[in-house]
Amino acid sequence: MASALARCSFLPHCRRHSSTAGWSGSGKTTLALSLIALLKARGLRVGTIKHAHHGFDVDVPGKDSFRHREAGADEVLVASNRRIALMIEDPLPEADDRRTLNDLLPRLGRVDVVVVEGFKNGAHAKLEVFRPDTGKPRLAGEVANIIAVAAPASAAIEGSLPVFDLDQPEAWIDELLALFA
């Protein structure tokens, strides 16, 4: 386990999290997958929170759990000997309202660290994932609380923020954990 990351005592207010923010196609999901694997290799219980811009459904039409929701259940929990899934129908009052990371972190169970993908407009600290070939501008300077940048080694990144090689997260995960500690 990284020395910079103390094991959490499983209370929502003490969870450590690292958050990635970037444009579509920048590599946020690929990086998140690598970070999850690296953290798991250290023996940590890892949770993830992914922001979705549009409505989504994880359930399958025709399945009993789907039918429970269609019948009006506000919460449906499906459990097996391998997995538990909890679906909560909880629409926000206004269509443009957004959930915050602070709203969602307490909903997670017993995890040591949370890898967050998205929520770029939130008040929390973020790692910018930047890939110049997307043609999109940098987020730093436009989005609050960018504390470091992950970009291809060939990218010329200006500024005073720490810059990590996007393709070698194993080389800098300890530094990242220290930044988010």
Side-chain angles (χ1 to χ4, degrees), residues 17-57:
H17 63 273
S18 66
S19 181
T20 61
W23 298 104
S24 178
S26 62
K28 294 183 307 293
T29 300
T30 301
L31 178 58
L33 296 173
S34 294
L35 293 175
I36 293 164
L38 290 167
L39 293 164
K40 288 297 291 180
R42 293 165 184 247
L44 297 171
R45 287 188 52 85
V46 179
T48 66
I49 297 178
K50 166 80 171 91
H51 181 263
H53 289 282
H54 308 289
F56 66 93
D57 203 334

Side-chain angles (χ1 to χ4, degrees), residues 36-100:
I36 293 164
L38 290 167
L39 293 164
K40 288 297 291 180
R42 293 165 184 247
L44 297 171
R45 287 188 52 85
V46 179
T48 66
I49 297 178
K50 166 80 171 91
H51 181 263
H53 289 282
H54 308 289
F56 66 93
D57 203 334
V58 296
D59 211 353
V60 178
K63 290 291 187 183
D64 291 346
S65 54
F66 187 91
R67 294 173 62 208
H68 290 192
R69 286 183 28 239
E70 278 186 320
D74 296 303
E75 295 190 17
V76 176
L77 190 140
V78 181
S80 73
N81 64 342
R82 299 189 59 113
R83 184 170 293 119
I84 299 170
L86 175 62
M87 292 162 281
I88 303 170
E89 298 299 315
D90 189 17
L92 294 171
E94 301 294 326
D96 291 337
D97 287 351
R98 299 288 179 257
R99 297 188 196 283
T100 68

